Amino acid sequence: MEFNTLEEKIAHARTLENPPVDLQDDFFSLLKRGIGSDKTYLTYRDADQNRIEISYREFYEYVLNAARFYQAKGLQPGDKIATVSHNHWHTVVQYFAAWFCGLVVVPVNLGEDDNRIAYILKNAEVKLALVRHNYFERIESIITGKKVLTNVEVIKCNDSVGCFSMEQGELNNRDIDLESEALIVFTSGTTGNPKGVVLTQRNLLEDARSISQWHNIDGQTKIMCVLPIHHVNGTVVTMITPFFVGGSTVLNQKFSAGHFFKAVEDEQVHIVSVVPTLLQYLTNYYEGKEAPEPKQFRHIICGAGPLTVKVAQNFEEKFGTPIIHGYGLSETTCYSCFMPVDQPKEEHNTWMRDFGYPSIGIPVQANEMDIQDEQGNSVAEGERGEIVIRGVNVMKGYFNNREANESAFKNGWFRSGDEGFFKKDAEGNPYFFITGRLKELIIRGGINLAPLEIDEVINKVPGVKAGIAVGFENDWYGEEVGAYVQLKEEVEEDEQAIINYCQEHLPFSKAPKVVVFGEELPVTSTGKYQRLKVAHLFEKWSSVQFRK
């Protein structure tokens, strides 16, 4: 199909030939549904396992009071607010109140360095930042230190909702529809600067609908969140999806291997969404111990990072709990495909173990998927190409970044940057697989790391002539960061000195954990680094867990 403009390409990528039936609810009507319900929507467990329950009725009141606060601040539909917090039920209220008012939420990942946080606040044109008191001094320092951020108002959020709510005042719910922008999630790119993924209310709700239908999630289902809700996985799977169907969610301040199954049992949780790293943590924690068997626990949803056959098999054999492996990106709201639920064990094991990679499954109803070549042509079954996606869960585009949009929507589909292939089952269903990334992102523990940013630090190490960051397969984090280094003449190899320097200038998650020395860097004829050509040199560290 020929497209004349970028707008036509994006429009094609955000629609389907046979779209699902129109959504019956938006965020406003979903919130109103909970006005009189004493059913628990949200249970929050802090790091010490203290818990609080919030009913749908209470949640509705909290959201309305926060919405009055936003409007009293003069915020209008389309304005951007930032949330800076660890997982907390207050943040969930702030999200839903923003969508009630037609505001756009910009979650800030506290794992980013100060310059990146400043970039995100500036690039997203944030007007108001809601900052948990634990991080207030840091954010205030970032904002006051950057003259370009003087228009950002900062609200310090403590243990009371009173700091971001008003119980009185008019509420205007105008100029808001399903295509209203709702979320800008910043995701790292290979150029270093993160890109803002713009998601609409329709994106969020369509993906929630697909997830709920796929996993048989209804008003009686309880889901647990152990992932950070500044990412789409935590937000869409475990916050919005249960709310969409009138179910319940258990929000943990953070993941704890020691408390995981106890929380599942105590709260009678049916489904948990994780990243591969957490499967490895749980398997290791219970090594030599009797595995718990919560009777109501159905399955684990797993995605957002490279899952190996070994890690998946070890977990399933240890706990007897099926992993429903899936795949998606922030750019496709969250999940685009899943392994089938309630599949016979033997068939499940075949798709998860027999092809060299665990299958990421079959497309959900919100989108279709394909494997295409560089020109946008579909390739044959079993042939490798780029995973592309088209559907009602595809983002509106990258914020203020036409160049990135031109590349991502080049052929009228969203180009994932991931290489893969598909195989059909006896019924003709396409099972997709990922074999690697065409982009150079390193995905460690479900978090995207831009290697060029790490390259910059490696190449500043005294004695280093040239060096590159290399993502290598790791049982604990899916991928870990290594450095492939060429030294200057007469400089002696000192791996620890390079590691120490990098850890002084980068967060631990981004810093190389091991160093391999070589005579020259692998490059193409045009001078582009070929990181995959040296990834095999890091194989002996695949089972090592690197700790700070």
Side-chain angles (χ1 to χ4, degrees):
M1 184 178 293
E2 293 293 328
F3 303 99
N4 296 317
T5 66
L6 172 61
E7 289 67 29
E8 288 179 359
K9 295 174 185 176
I10 294 176
H12 183 264
R14 300 189 72 227
T15 56
L16 289 170
E17 295 297 334
N18 299 299
V21 296
D22 289 342
L23 287 164
Q24 299 301 306
D25 291 305
D26 56 16
F27 278 105
F28 180 71
S29 59
L30 287 172
L31 282 161
K32 285 179 64 179
R33 191 175 64 191
I35 289 175
S37 174
D38 286 324
K39 178 180 179 178
T40 299
Y41 160 55
L42 184 61
T43 301
Y44 176 63
R45 297 174 71 106
D46 68 16
D48 297 318
Q49 303 304 301
N50 299 310
R51 62 193 299 280
I52 181 173
E53 291 187 11
I54 298 99
S55 69
Y56 272 88
R57 175 180 53 80
E58 291 169 327
F59 186 72
Y60 176 78
E61 291 298 328
Y62 286 131
V63 167
L64 258 59
N65 290 340
R68 292 188 181 99
F69 175 83
Y70 293 152
Q71 292 190 357
K73 288 290 183 181
L75 295 173
Q76 300 295 319
D79 285 344
K80 320 298 191 304
I81 68 163
T83 55
V84 186
S85 176
H86 53 254
N87 280 5
H88 198 284
W89 69 271
H90 287 182
T91 309
V92 184
V93 171
Q94 292 163 1
Y95 279 22
F96 278 78
W99 300 330
F100 180 94
C101 297
L103 304 179
V104 185
V105 177
V106 182
V108 173
N109 177 2
L110 285 156
E112 297 285 12
D113 61 37
D114 289 0
N115 287 332
R116 280 182 168 243
I117 290 176
Y119 175 86
I120 289 167
L121 295 175
K122 178 181 182 297
N123 184 264
E125 302 170 0
V126 167
K127 291 190 174 181
L128 181 75
L130 296 155
V131 183
R132 195 98 196 127
H133 62 88
N134 315 58
Y135 318 108
F136 183 78
E137 289 185 6
R138 179 187 176 194
I139 301 302
E140 188 178 46
S141 174
I142 292 171
I143 290 175
T144 56
K146 302 284 185 180
K147 294 181 180 179
V148 293
L149 296 175
T150 54
N151 292 328
V152 179
E153 181 179 358
V154 185
I155 303 297
K156 185 177 183 178
C157 300
N158 53 37
D159 293 330
S160 168
V161 294
C163 53
F164 61 89
S165 68
M166 294 180 65
E167 295 185 3
Q168 302 295 326
E170 292 284 332
L171 267 177
N172 301 312
N173 190 251
R174 64 187 188 280
D175 301 326
I176 304 167
D177 58 32
L178 286 169
E179 281 305 314
S180 294
E181 295 177 6
L183 197 64
I184 300 181
V185 179
F186 277 82
T187 179
S188 295
T190 56
T191 55
N193 275 338
K195 295 178 290 188
V197 175
V198 181
L199 300 173
T200 65
Q201 292 202 12
R202 183 186 300 278
N203 288 148
L204 300 177
L205 295 173
E206 287 284 14
D207 215 51
R209 174 162 66 169
S210 287
I211 293 167
S212 65
Q213 291 176 345
W214 195 276
H215 294 275
N216 302 315
I217 298 168
D218 58 21
Q220 306 307 311
T221 307
K222 187 174 284 189
I223 300 181
M224 188 164 81
C225 180
V226 294
L227 299 175
I229 58 174
H230 59 71
H231 285 149
V232 289
N233 195 320
T235 298
V236 178
V237 178
T238 41
M239 295 290 103
I240 299 175
T241 298
F243 195 86
F244 182 80
V245 296
S248 301
T249 189
V250 179
L251 174 64
N252 290 265
Q253 180 178 331
K254 62 180 182 179
F255 169 80
S256 165
H259 291 115
F260 181 88
F261 280 106
K262 186 176 189 310
V264 167
E265 182 69 51
D266 290 350
E267 304 292 350
Q268 292 293 286
V269 169
H270 300 103
I271 299 169
V272 184
S273 181
V274 303
V275 294
T277 300
L278 303 192
L279 299 179
Q280 179 75 350
Y281 276 130
L282 288 167
T283 304
N284 182 72
Y285 181 84
Y286 280 95
E287 186 176 355
K289 302 176 186 176
E290 186 176 348
E293 299 179 8
K295 292 182 174 55
Q296 81 294 334
F297 197 29
R298 297 183 201 164
H299 60 256
I300 288 261
I301 297 173
C302 183
L307 175 66
T308 64
V309 170
K310 176 184 174 184
V311 168
Q313 183 172 345
N314 287 347
F315 180 89
E316 291 185 327
E317 291 180 350
K318 175 68 177 179
F319 298 103
T321 300
I323 297 169
I324 305 303
H325 194 208
Y327 168 83
L329 309 100
S330 300
E331 289 89 341
T332 61
T333 304
C334 189
Y335 277 105
S336 290
C337 57
F338 287 111
M339 283 288 291
V341 177
D342 301 327
Q343 192 174 41
K345 185 175 181 179
E346 185 176 339
E347 186 177 356
H348 172 86
N349 289 347
T350 294
W351 291 107
M352 290 288 285
R353 302 176 187 179
D354 293 356
F355 292 88
Y357 311 87
S359 173
I360 54 176
I362 303 168
V364 300
Q365 73 161 27
N367 59 233
E368 55 185 294
M369 297 171 61
D370 194 17
I371 305 294
Q372 296 182 356
D373 62 19
E374 180 66 24
Q375 288 71 44
N377 302 307
S378 298
V379 303
E381 179 180 357
E383 186 177 336
R384 295 191 181 189
E386 184 171 13
I387 298 173
V388 297
I389 301 159
R390 176 192 178 196
V392 294
N393 56 355
V394 170
M395 67 173 177
K396 189 175 180 179
Y398 293 114
F399 188 68
N400 283 344
N401 198 333
R402 188 174 182 87
E403 182 181 355
N405 287 328
E406 290 279 7
S407 175
F409 295 100
K410 176 183 175 183
N411 301 312
W413 291 62
F414 171 71
R415 302 173 61 194
S416 71
D418 290 315
E419 182 193 65
F421 64 92
F422 71 90
K423 291 281 188 180
K424 290 184 178 179
D425 65 8
E427 287 74 42
N429 297 307
Y431 281 74
F432 284 80
F433 297 82
I434 297 179
T435 55
R437 279 180 304 286
L438 300 172
K439 299 177 182 178
E440 294 182 328
L441 295 180
I442 299 169
I443 302 181
R444 181 186 187 273
I447 306 298
N448 291 353
L449 306 180
L452 291 181
E453 178 191 10
I454 305 169
D455 291 351
E456 290 284 348
V457 176
I458 295 172
N459 284 280
K460 292 178 182 176
V461 178
V464 169
K465 181 178 181 180
I468 54 173
V470 179
F472 62 92
E473 189 174 291
N474 181 265
D475 291 342
W476 289 92
Y477 298 98
E479 282 191 322
E480 192 45 281
V481 184
Y484 185 80
V485 170
Q486 178 185 9
L487 294 173
K488 295 177 181 177
E489 291 184 12
E490 299 183 1
V491 173
E492 294 184 0
E493 295 181 359
D494 190 341
E495 177 185 6
Q496 196 58 49
I498 295 172
I499 291 173
N500 291 344
Y501 182 93
C502 291
Q503 291 186 1
E504 288 173 6
H505 294 83
L506 288 167
F508 180 79
S509 61
K510 296 182 180 181
K513 312 304 185 298
V514 293
V515 178
V516 171
F517 296 96
E519 294 300 318
E520 59 182 40
L521 303 187
V523 295
T524 66
S525 59
T526 57
K528 293 182 179 179
Y529 293 134
Q530 296 177 296
R531 301 174 199 273
L532 293 178
K533 283 200 169 183
V534 294
H536 69 280
L537 300 175
F538 297 82
E539 286 177 354
K540 64 181 179 181
W541 291 285
S542 65
S543 62
V544 178
Q545 181 189 16
F546 296 94
R547 297 186 176 186
K548 190 172 182 178

Tab-separated table of all heavy atoms in Angstrom, residues 157-188:
chain	number	residue	atom	x	y	z
A	157	CYS	N	4.522	15.503	48.024
A	157	CYS	CA	3.469	14.566	48.440
A	157	CYS	C	3.947	13.747	49.644
A	157	CYS	O	4.926	13.010	49.544
A	157	CYS	CB	3.097	13.643	47.292
A	157	CYS	SG	2.473	14.510	45.851
A	158	ASN	N	3.245	13.888	50.745
A	158	ASN	CA	3.585	13.112	51.941
A	158	ASN	C	2.592	11.975	52.126
A	158	ASN	O	1.973	11.524	51.170
A	158	ASN	CB	3.648	14.036	53.169
A	158	ASN	CG	2.375	14.860	53.315
A	158	ASN	OD1	1.266	14.372	53.038
A	158	ASN	ND2	2.508	16.109	53.746
A	159	ASP	N	2.413	11.534	53.359
A	159	ASP	CA	1.545	10.379	53.594
A	159	ASP	C	0.068	10.720	53.615
A	159	ASP	O	-0.771	9.844	53.833
A	159	ASP	CB	1.929	9.701	54.913
A	159	ASP	CG	3.310	9.060	54.838
A	159	ASP	OD1	3.687	8.649	53.733
A	159	ASP	OD2	3.996	8.988	55.865
A	160	SER	N	-0.269	11.979	53.418
A	160	SER	CA	-1.666	12.397	53.377
A	160	SER	C	-2.053	12.788	51.957
A	160	SER	O	-1.286	13.447	51.257
A	160	SER	CB	-1.892	13.590	54.308
A	160	SER	OG	-3.155	14.171	54.086
A	161	VAL	N	-3.263	12.393	51.546
A	161	VAL	CA	-3.736	12.782	50.215
A	161	VAL	C	-4.085	14.264	50.179
A	161	VAL	O	-4.303	14.832	49.107
A	161	VAL	CB	-4.970	11.957	49.782
A	161	VAL	CG1	-4.597	10.500	49.599
A	161	VAL	CG2	-6.108	12.114	50.779
A	162	GLY	N	-4.122	14.897	51.341
A	162	GLY	CA	-4.508	16.306	51.401
A	162	GLY	C	-3.591	17.232	50.643
A	162	GLY	O	-4.002	18.325	50.242
A	163	CYS	N	-2.347	16.809	50.416
A	163	CYS	CA	-1.397	17.678	49.726
A	163	CYS	C	-1.669	17.751	48.226
A	163	CYS	O	-1.140	18.618	47.550
A	163	CYS	CB	0.034	17.228	49.987
A	163	CYS	SG	0.335	15.505	49.629
A	164	PHE	N	-2.501	16.853	47.696
A	164	PHE	CA	-2.844	16.947	46.271
A	164	PHE	C	-4.346	16.725	46.059
A	164	PHE	O	-4.767	16.110	45.088
A	164	PHE	CB	-2.028	15.944	45.430
A	164	PHE	CG	-2.242	14.495	45.781
A	164	PHE	CD1	-3.243	13.758	45.169
A	164	PHE	CD2	-1.439	13.872	46.718
A	164	PHE	CE1	-3.437	12.418	45.486
A	164	PHE	CE2	-1.623	12.537	47.037
A	164	PHE	CZ	-2.625	11.813	46.422
A	165	SER	N	-5.153	17.256	46.965
A	165	SER	CA	-6.595	17.096	46.799
A	165	SER	C	-7.338	18.287	47.385
A	165	SER	O	-6.818	19.020	48.220
A	165	SER	CB	-7.077	15.806	47.478
A	165	SER	OG	-6.953	15.890	48.884
A	166	MET	N	-8.562	18.474	46.907
A	166	MET	CA	-9.480	19.492	47.422
A	166	MET	C	-10.865	18.870	47.485
A	166	MET	O	-11.312	18.227	46.528
A	166	MET	CB	-9.517	20.719	46.501
A	166	MET	CG	-8.223	21.495	46.438
A	166	MET	SD	-8.360	22.923	45.348
A	166	MET	CE	-9.567	23.908	46.249
A	167	GLU	N	-11.531	19.035	48.617
A	167	GLU	CA	-12.845	18.406	48.776
A	167	GLU	C	-13.979	19.264	48.230
A	167	GLU	O	-15.104	18.795	48.096
A	167	GLU	CB	-13.097	18.076	50.249
A	167	GLU	CG	-12.122	17.019	50.777
A	167	GLU	CD	-12.429	16.604	52.198
A	167	GLU	OE1	-13.441	17.095	52.744
A	167	GLU	OE2	-11.665	15.792	52.761
A	168	GLN	N	-13.690	20.521	47.940
A	168	GLN	CA	-14.728	21.405	47.417
A	168	GLN	C	-14.262	22.005	46.094
A	168	GLN	O	-13.071	22.124	45.835
A	168	GLN	CB	-15.015	22.548	48.416
A	168	GLN	CG	-15.448	22.081	49.802
A	168	GLN	CD	-16.781	21.369	49.780
A	168	GLN	OE1	-17.659	21.709	48.984
A	168	GLN	NE2	-16.939	20.375	50.644
A	169	GLY	N	-15.245	22.390	45.289
A	169	GLY	CA	-14.916	23.063	44.037
A	169	GLY	C	-15.648	22.449	42.862
A	169	GLY	O	-16.038	21.280	42.871
A	170	GLU	N	-15.845	23.268	41.830
A	170	GLU	CA	-16.516	22.812	40.612
A	170	GLU	C	-15.602	21.850	39.854
A	170	GLU	O	-14.387	21.971	39.882
A	170	GLU	CB	-16.836	24.016	39.721
A	170	GLU	CG	-17.890	24.950	40.290
A	170	GLU	CD	-19.290	24.379	40.162
A	170	GLU	OE1	-19.508	23.583	39.225
A	170	GLU	OE2	-20.144	24.718	40.992
A	171	LEU	N	-16.239	20.903	39.172
A	171	LEU	CA	-15.496	19.990	38.328
A	171	LEU	C	-16.007	20.094	36.899
A	171	LEU	O	-17.209	19.960	36.649
A	171	LEU	CB	-15.666	18.542	38.815
A	171	LEU	CG	-14.600	18.021	39.793
A	171	LEU	CD1	-14.947	16.610	40.223
A	171	LEU	CD2	-13.217	18.057	39.181
A	172	ASN	N	-15.096	20.384	35.978
A	172	ASN	CA	-15.462	20.483	34.573
A	172	ASN	C	-14.885	19.290	33.828
A	172	ASN	O	-13.684	19.043	33.883
A	172	ASN	CB	-14.917	21.780	33.970
A	172	ASN	CG	-15.455	23.010	34.690
A	172	ASN	OD1	-16.654	23.106	34.918
A	172	ASN	ND2	-14.564	23.922	35.065
A	173	ASN	N	-15.743	18.553	33.164
A	173	ASN	CA	-15.294	17.395	32.399
A	173	ASN	C	-15.596	17.662	30.927
A	173	ASN	O	-16.589	17.201	30.368
A	173	ASN	CB	-16.006	16.132	32.896
A	173	ASN	CG	-15.401	14.884	32.305
A	173	ASN	OD1	-16.009	14.242	31.483
A	173	ASN	ND2	-14.195	14.550	32.724
A	174	ARG	N	-14.738	18.439	30.304
A	174	ARG	CA	-15.013	18.891	28.950
A	174	ARG	C	-13.835	18.604	28.028
A	174	ARG	O	-12.713	18.366	28.471
A	174	ARG	CB	-15.292	20.389	28.941
A	174	ARG	CG	-14.097	21.232	29.378
A	174	ARG	CD	-14.457	22.705	29.534
A	174	ARG	NE	-13.292	23.531	29.768
A	174	ARG	CZ	-12.690	23.657	30.945
A	174	ARG	NH1	-13.159	23.007	31.978
A	174	ARG	NH2	-11.633	24.429	31.089
A	175	ASP	N	-14.132	18.612	26.740
A	175	ASP	CA	-13.092	18.454	25.713
A	175	ASP	C	-12.252	17.194	25.913
A	175	ASP	O	-11.041	17.186	25.683
A	175	ASP	CB	-12.163	19.684	25.696
A	175	ASP	CG	-12.913	20.971	25.415
A	175	ASP	OD1	-13.893	20.916	24.651
A	175	ASP	OD2	-12.520	22.012	25.968
A	176	ILE	N	-12.899	16.124	26.366
A	176	ILE	CA	-12.191	14.871	26.603
A	176	ILE	C	-12.917	13.757	25.864
A	176	ILE	O	-14.143	13.651	25.942
A	176	ILE	CB	-12.137	14.537	28.113
A	176	ILE	CG1	-11.511	15.684	28.913
A	176	ILE	CG2	-11.346	13.245	28.342
A	176	ILE	CD1	-11.696	15.563	30.401
A	177	ASP	N	-12.181	12.955	25.121
A	177	ASP	CA	-12.767	11.780	24.487
A	177	ASP	C	-11.721	10.668	24.466
A	177	ASP	O	-10.633	10.816	25.038
A	177	ASP	CB	-13.282	12.100	23.077
A	177	ASP	CG	-12.189	12.642	22.167
A	177	ASP	OD1	-11.003	12.250	22.335
A	177	ASP	OD2	-12.503	13.459	21.282
A	178	LEU	N	-12.030	9.560	23.829
A	178	LEU	CA	-11.135	8.414	23.846
A	178	LEU	C	-9.810	8.679	23.140
A	178	LEU	O	-8.813	8.004	23.397
A	178	LEU	CB	-11.822	7.199	23.225
A	178	LEU	CG	-12.893	6.537	24.098
A	178	LEU	CD1	-13.680	5.518	23.297
A	178	LEU	CD2	-12.254	5.881	25.318
A	179	GLU	N	-9.780	9.668	22.254
A	179	GLU	CA	-8.524	10.002	21.576
A	179	GLU	C	-7.730	11.072	22.323
A	179	GLU	O	-6.695	11.531	21.840
A	179	GLU	CB	-8.788	10.441	20.140
A	179	GLU	CG	-9.040	9.274	19.187
A	179	GLU	CD	-7.904	8.245	19.206
A	179	GLU	OE1	-6.721	8.644	19.160
A	179	GLU	OE2	-8.196	7.039	19.300
A	180	SER	N	-8.203	11.474	23.504
A	180	SER	CA	-7.439	12.413	24.323
A	180	SER	C	-6.138	11.742	24.772
A	180	SER	O	-6.131	10.572	25.170
A	180	SER	CB	-8.243	12.835	25.555
A	180	SER	OG	-9.369	13.576	25.187
A	181	GLU	N	-5.049	12.494	24.703
A	181	GLU	CA	-3.764	11.952	25.157
A	181	GLU	C	-3.819	11.701	26.657
A	181	GLU	O	-4.385	12.493	27.411
A	181	GLU	CB	-2.639	12.918	24.801
A	181	GLU	CG	-2.452	13.068	23.296
A	181	GLU	CD	-1.391	14.086	22.923
A	181	GLU	OE1	-0.712	14.610	23.836
A	181	GLU	OE2	-1.232	14.367	21.718
A	182	ALA	N	-3.218	10.579	27.094
A	182	ALA	CA	-3.325	10.182	28.496
A	182	ALA	C	-1.976	9.941	29.161
A	182	ALA	O	-1.834	10.171	30.365
A	182	ALA	CB	-4.169	8.909	28.602
A	183	LEU	N	-0.995	9.485	28.406
A	183	LEU	CA	0.257	9.040	29.011
A	183	LEU	C	1.401	9.297	28.039
A	183	LEU	O	1.269	9.040	26.841
A	183	LEU	CB	0.157	7.539	29.309
A	183	LEU	CG	1.131	6.881	30.269
A	183	LEU	CD1	0.976	7.424	31.680
A	183	LEU	CD2	0.912	5.357	30.268
A	184	ILE	N	2.494	9.841	28.556
A	184	ILE	CA	3.734	9.917	27.772
A	184	ILE	C	4.798	9.154	28.557
A	184	ILE	O	5.215	9.585	29.635
A	184	ILE	CB	4.190	11.361	27.507
A	184	ILE	CG1	3.134	12.135	26.725
A	184	ILE	CG2	5.510	11.358	26.738
A	184	ILE	CD1	3.517	13.561	26.397
A	185	VAL	N	5.185	8.016	28.010
A	185	VAL	CA	6.195	7.174	28.648
A	185	VAL	C	7.501	7.339	27.894
A	185	VAL	O	7.553	7.123	26.678
A	185	VAL	CB	5.760	5.694	28.633
A	185	VAL	CG1	6.820	4.828	29.286
A	185	VAL	CG2	4.417	5.526	29.340
A	186	PHE	N	8.537	7.711	28.599
A	186	PHE	CA	9.826	7.921	27.945
A	186	PHE	C	10.622	6.633	27.934
A	186	PHE	O	10.830	5.995	28.954
A	186	PHE	CB	10.604	9.042	28.633
A	186	PHE	CG	10.196	10.401	28.156
A	186	PHE	CD1	9.072	11.022	28.688
A	186	PHE	CD2	10.898	11.049	27.154
A	186	PHE	CE1	8.664	12.271	28.227
A	186	PHE	CE2	10.500	12.280	26.684
A	186	PHE	CZ	9.382	12.904	27.223
A	187	THR	N	11.029	6.248	26.727
A	187	THR	CA	11.757	5.005	26.541
A	187	THR	C	13.094	5.308	25.882
A	187	THR	O	13.171	6.135	24.976
A	187	THR	CB	10.944	4.016	25.687
A	187	THR	OG1	11.687	2.809	25.506
A	187	THR	CG2	10.579	4.596	24.335
A	188	SER	N	14.150	4.660	26.355
A	188	SER	CA	15.498	4.952	25.865
A	188	SER	C	15.654	4.543	24.420
A	188	SER	O	15.140	3.513	23.986
A	188	SER	CB	16.539	4.229	26.716
A	188	SER	OG	16.534	4.724	28.034
